[in-house]
Amino acid sequence: LIVIGAGHAGCEAALAAALRWVEVLLRPLMLTIKSIPVASFIILALMWLRSAGNLAVFISFLMVLPVVYTNTLAGIRETDARLLESAGCTVIAVPCNTSHFFLDRVQEQIGIPILHMIRETVAFIAAQGKRKVGILATDGTIRTGLYQREFAAFGIYAAAPRPAAQKQVMSLIYDDIKAGKAGDPEKFAAFTKDLVEQGCDCAVLACTELSVFANQHHLSPFYVDAMAVLAQRSIELCHKPLRAVF
């Protein structure tokens, strides 16, 4: 009976590890199952199921599902980093902004350093003496507060685009770049104008799709591409020379 639940939980954990939206979808379900007493499940099962045999399978499945799911998901995430460590990597770079929400937990599991793109970017901007920075990112990244917390540690205020401007950011990311189209400069200009009106003295490109836009267009020094900062620091930590790319 435990194998039944473990098999389902393992598949779900593998999907959650590969697909962020699957994890977001499953998290409330797993928390709900863990919080409900077994006695309550028995009452529900008696209402839904007809045989005692089915009841035993149902209860066993629900008991092992959240435990196996949680442990398997954590194991998959840790294994990826440990495999890189065992392969001889001396530093790990993660070019995804939102995944930095979990990065400190992964770092605790391995001995080699993980370059924290957000902290590296914040330190780079702080060294320039900036005081108010605009965050250009997805709704999800902004809601996590990842950049806001790191900037606050340096006494720098991080501003998000106002709602209408943020819709333009999301449209540029999803309707343009992710759809394989060239980014619309008018959308980019619209949310840049919003940040300037808020008094920002620079803006962070805090999304990989915006880094793609930066490669397509010549942007002013007002913008700091977090991906470019990560790439530069990765090269430096591997003791290789930097070169200009045109």
Side-chain angles (χ1 to χ4, degrees):
L1 298 179
I2 291 177
V3 172
I4 296 173
H8 281 279
C11 293
E12 290 162 358
L15 281 172
L19 301 171
R20 170 68 178 159
W21 67 267
V22 174
E23 182 190 359
V24 172
L25 188 65
L26 289 176
R27 186 184 300 122
L29 173 63
M30 296 301 167
L31 291 174
T32 300
I33 293 174
K34 289 173 68 176
S35 64
I36 297 176
V38 176
S40 298
F41 281 129
I42 294 175
I43 296 172
L44 291 173
L46 288 172
M47 295 170 60
W48 295 337
L49 306 174
R50 296 181 179 179
S51 70
N54 289 338
L55 174 62
V57 172
F58 181 74
I59 297 300
S60 299
F61 172 79
L62 290 177
M63 288 178 65
V64 302
L65 178 63
V67 176
V68 175
Y69 169 84
T70 302
N71 291 337
T72 303
L73 179 59
I76 291 172
R77 285 186 171 143
E78 292 171 9
T79 297
D80 288 342
R82 287 173 178 166
L83 285 174
L84 291 174
E85 184 175 23
S86 64
C89 294
T90 56
V91 64
I92 295 176
V94 181
C96 172
N97 287 275
T98 311
S99 67
H100 281 64
F101 186 82
F102 306 99
L103 219 56
D104 287 336
R105 277 180 269 173
V106 177
Q107 181 66 86
E108 293 172 358
Q109 307 298 323
I110 59 175
I112 57 176
I114 300 177
L115 264 177
H116 199 290
M117 178 169 63
I118 296 176
R119 289 173 189 153
E120 295 290 344
T121 301
V122 169
F124 176 82
I125 291 174
Q128 297 178 349
K130 305 298 184 181
R131 304 308 303 165
K132 188 172 184 179
V133 180
I135 309 299
L136 296 174
T138 62
D139 293 346
T141 298
I142 290 176
R143 280 197 294 266
T144 63
L146 288 167
Y147 277 91
Q148 294 91 320
R149 284 193 296 273
E150 299 298 337
F151 274 117
F154 281 86
I156 300 172
Y157 182 80
R162 288 172 288 198
Q166 181 60 24
K167 288 182 180 178
Q168 293 295 310
V169 176
M170 292 293 285
S171 180
L172 180 68
I173 292 171
Y174 286 94
D175 299 335
D176 294 355
I177 305 299
K178 280 185 178 291
K181 304 174 185 176
D184 185 347
E186 291 187 6
K187 294 177 183 177
F188 195 87
F191 52 72
T192 294
K193 181 174 180 289
D194 176 81
L195 294 180
V196 172
E197 289 175 350
Q198 292 189 58
C200 296
D201 47 17
C202 80
V204 178
L205 303 181
C207 176
T208 39
E209 280 71 31
L210 295 179
S211 298
V212 173
F213 183 88
N215 286 333
Q216 297 171 344
H217 302 81
H218 180 70
L219 300 183
S220 74
F222 177 79
Y223 307 96
V224 176
D225 184 356
M227 183 82 74
V229 173
L230 178 67
Q232 179 172 323
R233 290 292 294 132
S234 298
I235 294 170
E236 290 171 348
L237 288 177
C238 290
H239 308 293
K240 299 297 182 180
L242 294 169
R243 63 184 178 88
V245 178
F246 299 96

